[in-house]
Amino acid sequence: MKKNLFYLFALICSMSLFTACDDDDDEVSPWIGTYKIAEYTAEDYEWTENETTKNWPMTGALYTDWQFTGEDNYPEFISALFRYLGGSILPQVLNSITLDKSGSIIADYVASPEIAMDPSSIISIFFTGAFPSVSDVKANFVTSGFTTSPKDLAYWSEKNGKFVVKLNIPAILTAATGSDASGMGEIIENVLSGDPATVKALLGGLLNADLSGIQNATINQITSWAKDGIPMNIKIADNGHVHIYLDKSAFDNLFTLRSTGETDNFGEPVLTNDLIILWNALVAGGVVPEEAQAAGMFIQMIGGYWSVTTNFNLGLDLSLIHISEPTRP
């Protein structure tokens, strides 16, 4: 059940990157319609003067834009790894997402996915300097057997120049567990309204992990997203794709490294960030499936370059396949 809950929340987070205008607006939102995730493409790419990487991921389900300073351009390589991981995994779970005029986000997805992702393939990329071929990546994509999600898992609106998605947490828990969680709405609201220490203690108890090291600012950010919605950005790219994403400001609390007060075997300070603490707790609690646990090393990598990061966008890369006719009361 924990594994299905993890993938359902991952799917909902993907769905959360879709928004449209309020029902009260007279204008019809340009974003209403059905979207496919972008086609996975790759080409040999000269990312340094002396290194050409074969099958460098160019487009796929995951959109990344990482701008940074300094001579070390390794963040560009990590961005490509993200495009590979997102472009490999999401098409095994998600087929399409529809934004309808009523404010619902509806997905065609695989209810119980069996993700094909060999963690050793990631290590191989580092040692061989080559990504898997496009045909190898696409071989695992799902083309049938999809389930249509209910309408009440997430809602969308446009506010103050941001596209905001409000998650229906009781409905998500009901879908994940198969048990009616509608009566938990008041309990969830009380938890989210609690002070950061209380929230960390409750989450730590559920995961059997110590979350006291997470900053209060991070807890306040997460609970605000859960209560008021997740503010995101949307734009049409040069290739006509639609990019829906969170920007650097959404990740600063999570990725900024700080000392734990301890030193390693070489006398160097041990550094951590809030996402490392949370990810390790989710792994220890059995929430993160084994095939996804290798992604944890990227959190440390990103944190190592966060101090030189000037711009960081992460989200979905989509293509419109059908414009829905708006409905009117």
Side-chain angles (χ1 to χ4, degrees):
M1 190 273 287
K2 288 182 177 180
K3 179 175 180 178
N4 286 342
L5 182 62
F6 175 83
Y7 280 122
L8 181 62
F9 268 103
L11 174 64
I12 297 303
C13 288
S14 299
M15 292 167 59
S16 301
L17 299 172
F18 293 85
T19 59
C21 297
D22 288 330
D23 289 338
D24 294 335
D25 290 348
D26 290 330
E27 295 183 7
V28 176
S29 169
W31 312 117
I32 293 174
T34 298
Y35 294 80
K36 285 274 193 180
I37 51 181
E39 181 182 2
Y40 187 86
T41 64
E43 62 183 45
D44 293 351
Y45 179 68
E46 186 177 326
W47 73 289
T48 70
E49 290 184 2
N50 302 315
E51 294 181 83
T52 298
T53 300
K54 292 183 65 63
N55 304 316
W56 181 276
M58 303 301 292
T59 64
L62 202 66
Y63 160 63
T64 61
D65 178 22
W66 192 350
Q67 305 296 322
F68 50 92
T69 59
E71 297 181 0
D72 185 352
N73 66 343
Y74 208 66
E76 187 177 4
F77 187 77
I78 301 175
S79 291
L81 280 169
F82 271 121
R83 287 194 295 276
Y84 163 67
L85 288 171
S88 301
I89 294 174
L90 274 175
Q92 299 183 53
V93 179
L94 182 63
N95 180 46
S96 68
I97 296 180
T98 297
L99 316 180
D100 74 4
K101 176 61 180 172
S102 71
S104 293
I105 304 168
I106 305 166
D108 278 355
Y109 69 102
V110 180
S112 298
E114 295 294 334
I115 302 299
M117 171 57 67
D118 182 2
S120 65
S121 68
I122 302 173
I123 304 301
S124 176
I125 293 170
F126 284 93
F127 282 99
T128 65
F131 287 85
S133 67
V134 171
S135 59
D136 285 343
V137 171
K138 288 185 174 182
N140 296 316
F141 289 5
V142 178
T143 57
S144 62
F146 298 106
T147 299
T148 300
S149 68
K151 285 189 172 185
D152 63 348
L153 295 183
Y155 311 99
W156 41 266
S157 62
E158 185 177 9
K159 297 178 182 178
N160 301 322
K162 289 285 187 177
F163 292 87
V164 182
V165 167
K166 181 72 166 61
L167 302 180
N168 185 344
I169 297 177
I172 293 170
L173 292 174
T174 296
T177 63
S179 300
D180 184 9
S182 58
M184 296 182 61
E186 185 175 350
I187 298 174
I188 292 171
E189 180 66 25
N190 288 337
V191 170
L192 295 176
S193 299
D195 62 88
T198 300
V199 174
K200 284 186 279 189
L202 288 171
L203 290 177
L206 289 173
L207 297 171
N208 194 28
D210 180 12
L211 299 181
S212 61
I214 296 179
Q215 302 171 99
N216 289 346
T218 297
I219 297 297
N220 288 333
Q221 176 180 327
I222 293 173
T223 55
S224 174
W225 284 0
K227 290 188 298 183
D228 305 322
I230 307 169
M232 291 165 288
N233 307 277
I234 186 169
K235 69 179 181 181
I236 298 177
D238 293 339
N239 58 6
H241 290 190
V242 175
H243 293 164
I244 309 172
Y245 58 95
L246 293 168
D247 57 30
K248 181 177 181 292
S249 64
F251 297 103
D252 278 332
N253 287 332
L254 294 169
F255 282 129
T256 300
L257 289 174
R258 61 186 183 277
S259 175
T260 64
E262 301 175 344
T263 57
D264 60 20
N265 294 333
F266 301 97
E268 297 294 328
V270 176
L271 303 178
T272 190
N273 61 33
D274 286 348
L275 196 53
I276 291 173
I277 296 173
L278 182 58
W279 183 265
N280 289 341
L282 292 173
V283 171
V287 177
V288 180
E290 184 178 355
E291 64 269 20
Q293 292 177 10
M297 68 180 180
F298 296 117
I299 299 173
Q300 187 77 47
M301 291 179 183
I302 294 174
Y305 287 97
W306 202 250
S307 62
V308 297
T309 295
T310 57
N311 188 60
F312 184 87
N313 298 328
L314 181 66
L316 292 182
D317 192 343
L318 313 161
S319 57
L320 181 67
I321 59 174
H322 175 68
I323 299 176
S324 302
E325 290 295 328
T327 58
R328 295 291 182 185

